[in-house]
PDB file of all heavy atoms in Angstrom:
ATOM      1  N   ILE A  49     106.892  87.486  74.651  1.00 74.00           N
ATOM      2  CA  ILE A  49     107.510  87.710  75.951  1.00 74.00           C
ATOM      3  C   ILE A  49     108.782  88.526  75.717  1.00 74.00           C
ATOM      4  O   ILE A  49     109.392  88.431  74.651  1.00 74.00           O
ATOM      5  CB  ILE A  49     107.856  86.394  76.673  1.00 74.00           C
ATOM      6  CG1 ILE A  49     108.815  85.549  75.829  1.00 74.00           C
ATOM      7  CG2 ILE A  49     106.618  85.624  77.041  1.00 74.00           C
ATOM      8  CD1 ILE A  49     109.421  84.388  76.579  1.00 74.00           C
ATOM      9  N   ASN A  50     109.162  89.298  76.699  1.00 79.00           N
ATOM     10  CA  ASN A  50     110.394  90.087  76.589  1.00 79.00           C
ATOM     11  C   ASN A  50     111.606  89.244  76.979  1.00 79.00           C
ATOM     12  O   ASN A  50     111.561  88.504  77.968  1.00 79.00           O
ATOM     13  CB  ASN A  50     110.331  91.307  77.510  1.00 79.00           C
ATOM     14  CG  ASN A  50     109.586  92.458  76.862  1.00 79.00           C
ATOM     15  OD1 ASN A  50     108.917  92.276  75.858  1.00 79.00           O
ATOM     16  ND2 ASN A  50     109.699  93.630  77.440  1.00 79.00           N
ATOM     17  N   ILE A  51     112.675  89.354  76.195  1.00 85.00           N
ATOM     18  CA  ILE A  51     113.948  88.726  76.556  1.00 85.00           C
ATOM     19  C   ILE A  51     115.048  89.776  76.438  1.00 85.00           C
ATOM     20  O   ILE A  51     114.970  90.682  75.617  1.00 85.00           O
ATOM     21  CB  ILE A  51     114.279  87.507  75.658  1.00 85.00           C
ATOM     22  CG1 ILE A  51     114.471  87.937  74.198  1.00 85.00           C
ATOM     23  CG2 ILE A  51     113.207  86.444  75.769  1.00 85.00           C
ATOM     24  CD1 ILE A  51     115.018  86.818  73.312  1.00 85.00           C
ATOM     25  N   ASN A  52     116.065  89.660  77.303  1.00 86.00           N
ATOM     26  CA  ASN A  52     117.213  90.564  77.268  1.00 86.00           C
ATOM     27  C   ASN A  52     118.438  89.783  76.808  1.00 86.00           C
ATOM     28  O   ASN A  52     118.874  88.856  77.502  1.00 86.00           O
ATOM     29  CB  ASN A  52     117.480  91.154  78.653  1.00 86.00           C
ATOM     30  CG  ASN A  52     116.438  92.183  79.042  1.00 86.00           C
ATOM     31  OD1 ASN A  52     115.250  91.900  78.995  1.00 86.00           O
ATOM     32  ND2 ASN A  52     116.870  93.355  79.435  1.00 86.00           N
ATOM     33  N   VAL A  53     118.961  90.149  75.656  1.00 90.00           N
ATOM     34  CA  VAL A  53     120.175  89.524  75.137  1.00 90.00           C
ATOM     35  C   VAL A  53     121.370  90.371  75.564  1.00 90.00           C
ATOM     36  O   VAL A  53     121.451  91.553  75.227  1.00 90.00           O
ATOM     37  CB  VAL A  53     120.126  89.391  73.597  1.00 90.00           C
ATOM     38  CG1 VAL A  53     121.449  88.876  73.061  1.00 90.00           C
ATOM     39  CG2 VAL A  53     118.989  88.463  73.187  1.00 90.00           C
ATOM     40  N   ILE A  54     122.288  89.765  76.316  1.00 88.00           N
ATOM     41  CA  ILE A  54     123.467  90.469  76.826  1.00 88.00           C
ATOM     42  C   ILE A  54     124.659  90.130  75.928  1.00 88.00           C
ATOM     43  O   ILE A  54     125.000  88.956  75.758  1.00 88.00           O
ATOM     44  CB  ILE A  54     123.769  90.057  78.276  1.00 88.00           C
ATOM     45  CG1 ILE A  54     122.541  90.335  79.154  1.00 88.00           C
ATOM     46  CG2 ILE A  54     124.985  90.801  78.814  1.00 88.00           C
ATOM     47  CD1 ILE A  54     122.635  89.751  80.537  1.00 88.00           C
ATOM     48  N   TRP A  55     125.265  91.160  75.349  1.00 90.00           N
ATOM     49  CA  TRP A  55     126.382  90.953  74.420  1.00 90.00           C
ATOM     50  C   TRP A  55     127.711  90.888  75.176  1.00 90.00           C
ATOM     51  O   TRP A  55     127.835  91.414  76.276  1.00 90.00           O
ATOM     52  CB  TRP A  55     126.420  92.089  73.391  1.00 90.00           C
ATOM     53  CG  TRP A  55     125.133  92.273  72.652  1.00 90.00           C
ATOM     54  CD1 TRP A  55     124.209  93.250  72.850  1.00 90.00           C
ATOM     55  CD2 TRP A  55     124.617  91.437  71.608  1.00 90.00           C
ATOM     56  NE1 TRP A  55     123.140  93.090  71.996  1.00 90.00           N
ATOM     57  CE2 TRP A  55     123.360  91.972  71.211  1.00 90.00           C
ATOM     58  CE3 TRP A  55     125.083  90.288  70.957  1.00 90.00           C
ATOM     59  CZ2 TRP A  55     122.583  91.414  70.213  1.00 90.00           C
ATOM     60  CZ3 TRP A  55     124.298  89.724  69.961  1.00 90.00           C
ATOM     61  CH2 TRP A  55     123.078  90.280  69.600  1.00 90.00           C
ATOM     62  N   LEU A  71     119.639  87.915  64.351  1.00 90.00           N
ATOM     63  CA  LEU A  71     118.714  87.294  65.305  1.00 90.00           C
ATOM     64  C   LEU A  71     117.263  87.578  64.940  1.00 90.00           C
ATOM     65  O   LEU A  71     116.393  86.701  65.049  1.00 90.00           O
ATOM     66  CB  LEU A  71     118.997  87.806  66.720  1.00 90.00           C
ATOM     67  CG  LEU A  71     120.295  87.324  67.382  1.00 90.00           C
ATOM     68  CD1 LEU A  71     120.450  87.954  68.757  1.00 90.00           C
ATOM     69  CD2 LEU A  71     120.330  85.804  67.491  1.00 90.00           C
ATOM     70  N   LEU A  77     112.393  87.512  65.915  1.00 87.00           N
ATOM     71  CA  LEU A  77     112.330  88.397  67.073  1.00 87.00           C
ATOM     72  C   LEU A  77     111.861  89.792  66.646  1.00 87.00           C
ATOM     73  O   LEU A  77     111.971  90.166  65.482  1.00 87.00           O
ATOM     74  CB  LEU A  77     113.700  88.515  67.740  1.00 87.00           C
ATOM     75  CG  LEU A  77     114.356  87.229  68.244  1.00 87.00           C
ATOM     76  CD1 LEU A  77     115.705  87.544  68.879  1.00 87.00           C
ATOM     77  CD2 LEU A  77     113.463  86.506  69.239  1.00 87.00           C
ATOM     78  N   THR A 111     123.204  95.542  76.384  1.00 88.00           N
ATOM     79  CA  THR A 111     122.037  94.649  76.385  1.00 88.00           C
ATOM     80  C   THR A 111     121.043  95.110  75.323  1.00 88.00           C
ATOM     81  O   THR A 111     120.842  96.309  75.137  1.00 88.00           O
ATOM     82  CB  THR A 111     121.353  94.661  77.762  1.00 88.00           C
ATOM     83  OG1 THR A 111     122.260  94.190  78.729  1.00 88.00           O
ATOM     84  CG2 THR A 111     120.119  93.771  77.773  1.00 88.00           C
ATOM     85  N   THR A 112     120.436  94.140  74.655  1.00 89.00           N
ATOM     86  CA  THR A 112     119.372  94.437  73.693  1.00 89.00           C
ATOM     87  C   THR A 112     118.099  93.735  74.141  1.00 89.00           C
ATOM     88  O   THR A 112     118.119  92.547  74.479  1.00 89.00           O
ATOM     89  CB  THR A 112     119.740  93.960  72.284  1.00 89.00           C
ATOM     90  OG1 THR A 112     120.947  94.599  71.868  1.00 89.00           O
ATOM     91  CG2 THR A 112     118.632  94.308  71.288  1.00 89.00           C
ATOM     92  N   VAL A 113     117.002  94.484  74.153  1.00 88.00           N
ATOM     93  CA  VAL A 113     115.703  93.918  74.525  1.00 88.00           C
ATOM     94  C   VAL A 113     114.955  93.539  73.249  1.00 88.00           C
ATOM     95  O   VAL A 113     114.812  94.347  72.326  1.00 88.00           O
ATOM     96  CB  VAL A 113     114.873  94.923  75.343  1.00 88.00           C
ATOM     97  CG1 VAL A 113     113.528  94.308  75.744  1.00 88.00           C
ATOM     98  CG2 VAL A 113     115.645  95.384  76.570  1.00 88.00           C
ATOM     99  N   PHE A 114     114.496  92.288  73.197  1.00 89.00           N
ATOM    100  CA  PHE A 114     113.685  91.782  72.087  1.00 89.00           C
ATOM    101  C   PHE A 114     112.344  91.291  72.621  1.00 89.00           C
ATOM    102  O   PHE A 114     112.205  90.995  73.808  1.00 89.00           O
ATOM    103  CB  PHE A 114     114.368  90.593  71.397  1.00 89.00           C
ATOM    104  CG  PHE A 114     115.647  90.912  70.689  1.00 89.00           C
ATOM    105  CD1 PHE A 114     116.870  90.667  71.294  1.00 89.00           C
ATOM    106  CD2 PHE A 114     115.630  91.419  69.390  1.00 89.00           C
ATOM    107  CE1 PHE A 114     118.060  90.929  70.646  1.00 89.00           C
ATOM    108  CE2 PHE A 114     116.819  91.693  68.730  1.00 89.00           C
ATOM    109  CZ  PHE A 114     118.031  91.447  69.350  1.00 89.00           C
ATOM    110  N   LEU A 116     110.033  88.041  71.925  1.00 82.00           N
ATOM    111  CA  LEU A 116     110.066  86.714  71.317  1.00 82.00           C
ATOM    112  C   LEU A 116     108.647  86.200  71.199  1.00 82.00           C
ATOM    113  O   LEU A 116     107.896  86.212  72.185  1.00 82.00           O
ATOM    114  CB  LEU A 116     110.907  85.759  72.168  1.00 82.00           C
ATOM    115  CG  LEU A 116     110.876  84.277  71.781  1.00 82.00           C
ATOM    116  CD1 LEU A 116     111.503  84.070  70.405  1.00 82.00           C
ATOM    117  CD2 LEU A 116     111.610  83.440  72.829  1.00 82.00           C
ATOM    118  N   VAL A 126     109.867  77.323  72.687  1.00 79.00           N
ATOM    119  CA  VAL A 126     110.366  78.618  73.155  1.00 79.00           C
ATOM    120  C   VAL A 126     111.713  78.444  73.849  1.00 79.00           C
ATOM    121  O   VAL A 126     112.673  79.179  73.584  1.00 79.00           O
ATOM    122  CB  VAL A 126     109.348  79.273  74.114  1.00 79.00           C
ATOM    123  CG1 VAL A 126     109.913  80.560  74.710  1.00 79.00           C
ATOM    124  CG2 VAL A 126     108.044  79.557  73.391  1.00 79.00           C
ATOM    125  N   PHE A 127     111.810  77.451  74.729  1.00 81.00           N
ATOM    126  CA  PHE A 127     113.064  77.215  75.442  1.00 81.00           C
ATOM    127  C   PHE A 127     114.184  76.786  74.491  1.00 81.00           C
ATOM    128  O   PHE A 127     115.347  77.165  74.673  1.00 81.00           O
ATOM    129  CB  PHE A 127     112.861  76.161  76.534  1.00 81.00           C
ATOM    130  CG  PHE A 127     112.017  76.641  77.681  1.00 81.00           C
ATOM    131  CD1 PHE A 127     110.785  76.075  77.940  1.00 81.00           C
ATOM    132  CD2 PHE A 127     112.452  77.682  78.498  1.00 81.00           C
ATOM    133  CE1 PHE A 127     110.004  76.524  78.990  1.00 81.00           C
ATOM    134  CE2 PHE A 127     111.682  78.130  79.558  1.00 81.00           C
ATOM    135  CZ  PHE A 127     110.452  77.552  79.805  1.00 81.00           C
ATOM    136  N   THR A 129     114.493  77.736  71.371  1.00 87.00           N
ATOM    137  CA  THR A 129     114.908  78.963  70.670  1.00 87.00           C
ATOM    138  C   THR A 129     115.825  79.805  71.549  1.00 87.00           C
ATOM    139  O   THR A 129     116.841  80.336  71.084  1.00 87.00           O
ATOM    140  CB  THR A 129     113.666  79.788  70.272  1.00 87.00           C
ATOM    141  OG1 THR A 129     112.826  78.998  69.429  1.00 87.00           O
ATOM    142  CG2 THR A 129     114.062  81.060  69.541  1.00 87.00           C
ATOM    143  N   LEU A 130     115.483  79.905  72.846  1.00 86.00           N
ATOM    144  CA  LEU A 130     116.314  80.684  73.768  1.00 86.00           C
ATOM    145  C   LEU A 130     117.714  80.081  73.902  1.00 86.00           C
ATOM    146  O   LEU A 130     118.717  80.805  73.993  1.00 86.00           O
ATOM    147  CB  LEU A 130     115.634  80.763  75.137  1.00 86.00           C
ATOM    148  CG  LEU A 130     114.356  81.618  75.191  1.00 86.00           C
ATOM    149  CD1 LEU A 130     113.619  81.390  76.496  1.00 86.00           C
ATOM    150  CD2 LEU A 130     114.682  83.091  75.016  1.00 86.00           C
ATOM    151  N   LYS A 131     117.804  78.747  73.905  1.00 88.00           N
ATOM    152  CA  LYS A 131     119.118  78.090  73.979  1.00 88.00           C
ATOM    153  C   LYS A 131     119.949  78.380  72.735  1.00 88.00           C
ATOM    154  O   LYS A 131     121.163  78.602  72.823  1.00 88.00           O
ATOM    155  CB  LYS A 131     118.923  76.582  74.151  1.00 88.00           C
ATOM    156  CG  LYS A 131     118.459  76.177  75.541  1.00 88.00           C
ATOM    157  CD  LYS A 131     118.291  74.668  75.627  1.00 88.00           C
ATOM    158  CE  LYS A 131     117.797  74.266  77.012  1.00 88.00           C
ATOM    159  NZ  LYS A 131     117.578  72.792  77.102  1.00 88.00           N
ATOM    160  N   LYS A 132     119.304  78.396  71.574  1.00 90.00           N
ATOM    161  CA  LYS A 132     120.020  78.688  70.323  1.00 90.00           C
ATOM    162  C   LYS A 132     120.538  80.131  70.330  1.00 90.00           C
ATOM    163  O   LYS A 132     121.655  80.401  69.890  1.00 90.00           O
ATOM    164  CB  LYS A 132     119.098  78.463  69.132  1.00 90.00           C
ATOM    165  CG  LYS A 132     118.761  76.993  68.883  1.00 90.00           C
ATOM    166  CD  LYS A 132     117.792  76.850  67.729  1.00 90.00           C
ATOM    167  CE  LYS A 132     117.416  75.389  67.505  1.00 90.00           C
ATOM    168  NZ  LYS A 132     116.408  75.233  66.439  1.00 90.00           N
ATOM    169  N   ILE A 133     119.716  81.049  70.821  1.00 91.00           N
ATOM    170  CA  ILE A 133     120.143  82.459  70.895  1.00 91.00           C
ATOM    171  C   ILE A 133     121.326  82.590  71.849  1.00 91.00           C
ATOM    172  O   ILE A 133     122.289  83.316  71.582  1.00 91.00           O
ATOM    173  CB  ILE A 133     118.968  83.351  71.337  1.00 91.00           C
ATOM    174  CG1 ILE A 133     117.860  83.351  70.275  1.00 91.00           C
ATOM    175  CG2 ILE A 133     119.441  84.781  71.604  1.00 91.00           C
ATOM    176  CD1 ILE A 133     116.578  84.044  70.710  1.00 91.00           C
ATOM    177  N   GLU A 134     121.258  81.867  72.964  1.00 89.00           N
ATOM    178  CA  GLU A 134     122.328  81.946  73.963  1.00 89.00           C
ATOM    179  C   GLU A 134     123.653  81.388  73.431  1.00 89.00           C
ATOM    180  O   GLU A 134     124.725  81.795  73.877  1.00 89.00           O
ATOM    181  CB  GLU A 134     121.910  81.184  75.223  1.00 89.00           C
ATOM    182  CG  GLU A 134     122.709  81.577  76.458  1.00 89.00           C
ATOM    183  CD  GLU A 134     122.022  81.145  77.734  1.00 89.00           C
ATOM    184  OE1 GLU A 134     121.246  80.166  77.682  1.00 89.00           O
ATOM    185  OE2 GLU A 134     122.248  81.778  78.779  1.00 89.00           O
ATOM    186  N   SER A 135     123.586  80.451  72.470  1.00 89.00           N
ATOM    187  CA  SER A 135     124.808  79.864  71.909  1.00 89.00           C
ATOM    188  C   SER A 135     125.393  80.692  70.764  1.00 89.00           C
ATOM    189  O   SER A 135     126.439  80.357  70.222  1.00 89.00           O
ATOM    190  CB  SER A 135     124.520  78.440  71.413  1.00 89.00           C
ATOM    191  OG  SER A 135     123.591  78.461  70.338  1.00 89.00           O
ATOM    192  N   PHE A 136     124.720  81.797  70.417  1.00 89.00           N
ATOM    193  CA  PHE A 136     125.212  82.688  69.364  1.00 89.00           C
ATOM    194  C   PHE A 136     126.571  83.258  69.791  1.00 89.00           C
ATOM    195  O   PHE A 136     126.739  83.654  70.954  1.00 89.00           O
ATOM    196  CB  PHE A 136     124.205  83.808  69.137  1.00 89.00           C
ATOM    197  CG  PHE A 136     124.380  84.552  67.846  1.00 89.00           C
ATOM    198  CD1 PHE A 136     123.968  83.994  66.651  1.00 89.00           C
ATOM    199  CD2 PHE A 136     124.976  85.810  67.832  1.00 89.00           C
ATOM    200  CE1 PHE A 136     124.127  84.688  65.463  1.00 89.00           C
ATOM    201  CE2 PHE A 136     125.141  86.498  66.651  1.00 89.00           C
ATOM    202  CZ  PHE A 136     124.708  85.932  65.458  1.00 89.00           C
ATOM    203  N   LEU A 138     128.416  85.991  69.739  1.00 89.00           N
ATOM    204  CA  LEU A 138     128.627  87.269  70.414  1.00 89.00           C
ATOM    205  C   LEU A 138     127.768  87.438  71.674  1.00 89.00           C
ATOM    206  O   LEU A 138     127.883  88.459  72.362  1.00 89.00           O
ATOM    207  CB  LEU A 138     128.324  88.418  69.452  1.00 89.00           C
ATOM    208  CG  LEU A 138     129.176  88.482  68.175  1.00 89.00           C
ATOM    209  CD1 LEU A 138     128.752  89.654  67.307  1.00 89.00           C
ATOM    210  CD2 LEU A 138     130.658  88.600  68.530  1.00 89.00           C
ATOM    211  N   VAL A 139     126.914  86.454  71.952  1.00 90.00           N
ATOM    212  CA  VAL A 139     125.979  86.577  73.076  1.00 90.00           C
ATOM    213  C   VAL A 139     126.616  86.054  74.355  1.00 90.00           C
ATOM    214  O   VAL A 139     127.131  84.938  74.406  1.00 90.00           O
ATOM    215  CB  VAL A 139     124.673  85.802  72.788  1.00 90.00           C
ATOM    216  CG1 VAL A 139     123.767  85.805  74.023  1.00 90.00           C
ATOM    217  CG2 VAL A 139     123.944  86.430  71.604  1.00 90.00           C
ATOM    218  N   ARG A 140     126.568  86.888  75.387  1.00 88.00           N
ATOM    219  CA  ARG A 140     127.097  86.501  76.701  1.00 88.00           C
ATOM    220  C   ARG A 140     126.047  85.752  77.520  1.00 88.00           C
ATOM    221  O   ARG A 140     126.365  84.886  78.325  1.00 88.00           O
ATOM    222  CB  ARG A 140     127.545  87.760  77.435  1.00 88.00           C
ATOM    223  CG  ARG A 140     128.133  87.524  78.812  1.00 88.00           C
ATOM    224  CD  ARG A 140     128.723  88.822  79.327  1.00 88.00           C
ATOM    225  NE  ARG A 140     129.224  88.692  80.686  1.00 88.00           N
ATOM    226  CZ  ARG A 140     129.889  89.644  81.320  1.00 88.00           C
ATOM    227  NH1 ARG A 140     130.141  90.786  80.699  1.00 88.00           N
ATOM    228  NH2 ARG A 140     130.315  89.472  82.541  1.00 88.00           N
ATOM    229  N   GLY A 141     124.792  86.102  77.334  1.00 86.00           N
ATOM    230  CA  GLY A 141     123.718  85.430  78.063  1.00 86.00           C
ATOM    231  C   GLY A 141     122.356  85.968  77.649  1.00 86.00           C
ATOM    232  O   GLY A 141     122.257  87.017  77.003  1.00 86.00           O
ATOM    233  N   VAL A 142     121.305  85.226  78.001  1.00 87.00           N
ATOM    234  CA  VAL A 142     119.928  85.641  77.721  1.00 87.00           C
ATOM    235  C   VAL A 142     119.161  85.628  79.037  1.00 87.00           C
ATOM    236  O   VAL A 142     119.183  84.631  79.772  1.00 87.00           O
ATOM    237  CB  VAL A 142     119.243  84.695  76.706  1.00 87.00           C
ATOM    238  CG1 VAL A 142     117.796  85.129  76.471  1.00 87.00           C
ATOM    239  CG2 VAL A 142     120.017  84.671  75.399  1.00 87.00           C
ATOM    240  N   VAL A 143     118.506  86.734  79.346  1.00 81.00           N
ATOM    241  CA  VAL A 143     117.739  86.852  80.583  1.00 81.00           C
ATOM    242  C   VAL A 143     116.255  86.845  80.249  1.00 81.00           C
ATOM    243  O   VAL A 143     115.794  87.619  79.403  1.00 81.00           O
ATOM    244  CB  VAL A 143     118.100  88.152  81.337  1.00 81.00           C
ATOM    245  CG1 VAL A 143     117.270  88.272  82.609  1.00 81.00           C
ATOM    246  CG2 VAL A 143     119.591  88.178  81.662  1.00 81.00           C
ATOM    247  N   PHE A 144     115.522  85.970  80.883  1.00 74.00           N
ATOM    248  CA  PHE A 144     114.068  85.922  80.717  1.00 74.00           C
ATOM    249  C   PHE A 144     113.489  85.323  81.991  1.00 74.00           C
ATOM    250  O   PHE A 144     114.228  84.874  82.875  1.00 74.00           O
ATOM    251  CB  PHE A 144     113.674  85.080  79.499  1.00 74.00           C
ATOM    252  CG  PHE A 144     114.072  83.631  79.614  1.00 74.00           C
ATOM    253  CD1 PHE A 144     113.164  82.673  80.007  1.00 74.00           C
ATOM    254  CD2 PHE A 144     115.369  83.224  79.332  1.00 74.00           C
ATOM    255  CE1 PHE A 144     113.530  81.346  80.129  1.00 74.00           C
ATOM    256  CE2 PHE A 144     115.745  81.896  79.438  1.00 74.00           C
ATOM    257  CZ  PHE A 144     114.822  80.948  79.846  1.00 74.00           C
ATOM    258  N   SER A 145     112.184  85.322  82.103  1.00 60.00           N
ATOM    259  CA  SER A 145     111.542  84.835  83.322  1.00 60.00           C
ATOM    260  C   SER A 145     110.781  83.543  83.036  1.00 60.00           C
ATOM    261  O   SER A 145     109.764  83.551  82.349  1.00 60.00           O
ATOM    262  CB  SER A 145     110.573  85.888  83.881  1.00 60.00           C
ATOM    263  OG  SER A 145     109.849  85.356  84.962  1.00 60.00           O
ATOM    264  N   LYS A 146     111.286  82.426  83.567  1.00 57.00           N
ATOM    265  CA  LYS A 146     110.570  81.155  83.435  1.00 57.00           C
ATOM    266  C   LYS A 146     109.235  81.204  84.167  1.00 57.00           C
ATOM    267  O   LYS A 146     108.263  80.598  83.744  1.00 57.00           O
ATOM    268  CB  LYS A 146     111.425  80.015  83.996  1.00 57.00           C
ATOM    269  CG  LYS A 146     112.647  79.677  83.170  1.00 57.00           C
ATOM    270  CD  LYS A 146     113.376  78.487  83.752  1.00 57.00           C
ATOM    271  CE  LYS A 146     114.614  78.136  82.921  1.00 57.00           C
ATOM    272  NZ  LYS A 146     115.350  76.990  83.494  1.00 57.00           N
ATOM    273  N   ILE A 149     106.667  82.859  81.958  1.00 55.00           N
ATOM    274  CA  ILE A 149     106.274  81.971  80.863  1.00 55.00           C
ATOM    275  C   ILE A 149     105.326  80.900  81.385  1.00 55.00           C
ATOM    276  O   ILE A 149     104.309  80.584  80.756  1.00 55.00           O
ATOM    277  CB  ILE A 149     107.521  81.319  80.212  1.00 55.00           C
ATOM    278  CG1 ILE A 149     108.322  82.388  79.458  1.00 55.00           C
ATOM    279  CG2 ILE A 149     107.121  80.201  79.262  1.00 55.00           C
ATOM    280  CD1 ILE A 149     109.598  81.873  78.839  1.00 55.00           C
TER     281      ILE A 149
END
Side-chain angles (χ1 to χ4, degrees):
I49 59 168
N50 277 13
I51 64 171
N52 287 53
V53 174
I54 303 170
W55 305 104
L71 289 178
L77 301 180
T111 298
T112 301
V113 181
F114 294 99
L116 171 65
V126 175
F127 290 115
T129 301
L130 291 168
K131 286 180 181 178
K132 290 177 182 176
I133 295 172
E134 199 163 26
S135 64
F136 197 77
L138 300 179
V139 174
R140 181 171 176 174
V142 178
V143 179
F144 63 99
S145 173
K146 290 184 180 179
I149 291 177

